Amino acid sequence: MGGLTFRTVCIRGSGEWNEDALIVRERDGLFGVVDGATSLVPFRAPSGETGGVLASRITAETVMGMPLGADAKAAALADMLAEANRRLAAEMAACGIDPARKEALWSAGALIVRVRPDAVDYAQAGDCMLVAGYRDGSYRVLTRDQLAAADRATLRRWAEAAASGITGRDARWQAVLPTIEAGRRLANAPGPEGYAVLNGDPAFARYVESGTINRLGLRSLLLVTDGMYVPKADPAEAFDAEETARLVGRMGLEAYAEWLVQYERSDPDCTRFPRVKRSDDKTAVLLEFPEV
């Protein structure tokens, strides 16, 4: 890819399974990250995987296996995610999942990019984020965290539960569960708080976002799942993709991920920094472009 280099991380958090996935098709200049979210209705595959694992796996395998012509652009990437969503629907149907119960659906956010000689195309859903770094030192967040409003509501409720004296993750989880369920009902729904996410709903195809940027002055692209954010004491400040990109630029991708894991371990009860698990899965791709 004309001197393009890349680095990746994919680290399991404090859960039993890593529900994230990486996409790397170097020969096609295609890269991506996927963030699976398990259903709120208990489900396990025969091998023990959660719905979040299956959602991210189906998404990644679909994108890795679909043909991509030399002239394909952003719309083709959105079609890849739409096809992954259809396959996810079929797999859930085979497992007896009721598509009308959004809390029972397996789901995944995703971001894929395709690097071309003069441009970069992308398609995105959920809270996987893309940040461009330029040779003048500036950064540009190219995607919108579509889940930020729902996530902030969950973190506010978590902080309120902790402040009210509710201790222990399980007890706090029960306190915030109605808020999380309300957020799931906004998936692929119209309105100001709706968001796109792969969950088998055909409406997904209407909400997946895509775009193209040129490569003029482009130094790097960072693709991340939300586990790469620095946790904050104030839920309103908890999602800052540009901050993550600047820290990765300063520290290096692997060193930043290791530092973040240690930072989260300093607050094992998720009290100082409200969050629903001690450490979320962390997946990222850092693309670095040669000077031209």
Side-chain angles (χ1 to χ4, degrees):
M1 288 300 298
L4 175 71
T5 61
F6 69 93
R7 306 185 73 85
T8 66
V9 294
C10 191
I11 302 169
R12 180 172 65 87
S14 53
E16 178 186 359
W17 292 88
N18 186 347
E19 295 182 324
D20 283 2
L22 271 169
I23 296 166
V24 176
R25 278 172 59 176
E26 185 179 3
R27 68 187 184 279
D28 295 319
L30 185 69
F31 303 88
V33 295
V34 188
D35 184 359
T38 200
S39 59
L40 300 177
V41 175
F43 172 87
R44 292 284 179 148
S47 299
E49 297 97 332
T50 64
V53 172
L54 298 178
S56 63
R57 182 181 299 167
I58 289 167
T59 301
E61 289 178 350
T62 299
V63 173
M64 286 292 293
M66 286 184 69
L68 187 65
D71 296 329
K73 295 182 174 62
L77 303 187
D79 288 343
M80 284 179 155
L81 293 184
E83 175 59 22
N85 188 62
R86 287 189 286 269
R87 294 185 186 183
L88 180 55
E91 186 63 25
M92 285 191 288
C95 292
I97 305 298
D98 182 356
R101 298 183 65 197
K102 287 191 175 181
E103 69 274 18
L105 300 179
W106 319 335
S107 60
L111 165 66
I112 51 178
V113 304
R114 204 281 180 85
V115 178
R116 295 188 280 117
D118 299 312
V120 177
D121 305 303
Y122 66 88
Q124 182 255 8
D127 53 8
C128 296
M129 296 294 287
L130 177 62
V131 185
Y134 289 89
R135 298 202 177 278
D136 63 1
S138 64
Y139 286 85
R140 176 184 176 194
V141 179
L142 297 168
T143 50
R144 174 175 172 260
D145 184 344
Q146 300 184 48
L147 277 161
D151 287 343
R152 284 191 176 100
T154 296
L155 297 186
R156 281 196 301 269
R157 183 68 191 101
W158 185 278
E160 291 167 357
S164 70
I166 297 175
T167 60
R169 181 188 178 279
D170 290 343
R172 290 180 192 167
W173 173 262
Q174 290 302 316
V176 304
L177 187 56
T179 304
I180 297 173
E181 290 174 336
R184 292 291 176 94
R185 289 192 288 272
L186 298 171
N188 299 314
E193 296 183 342
Y195 58 87
V197 70
L198 292 94
N199 67 354
D201 185 345
F204 168 78
R206 299 202 298 269
Y207 299 117
V208 58
E209 294 196 332
S210 61
T212 300
I213 63 167
N214 66 49
R215 286 180 52 175
L216 297 175
L218 188 62
R219 177 177 52 81
S220 65
L221 285 173
L222 180 67
L223 297 69
V224 295
T225 61
D226 67 338
M228 294 290 286
Y229 288 135
V230 180
K232 301 294 180 65
D234 182 354
E237 300 178 352
F239 309 101
D240 192 336
E242 182 174 333
E243 176 190 45
T244 296
R246 289 185 179 277
L247 289 170
V248 167
R250 187 181 311 149
M251 302 169 66
L253 182 61
E254 296 87 347
Y256 169 74
E258 292 171 4
W259 170 83
L260 183 56
V261 169
Q262 295 304 317
Y263 191 67
E264 291 168 330
R265 285 177 180 168
S266 71
D267 180 37
D269 296 327
C270 306
T271 301
R272 187 157 52 105
F273 308 125
R275 58 203 193 281
V276 298
K277 61 181 73 170
R278 187 192 72 201
S279 186
D280 200 0
D281 304 325
K282 294 170 174 53
T283 299
V285 179
L286 177 64
L287 303 174
E288 295 182 302
F289 296 82
E291 288 196 60
V292 293

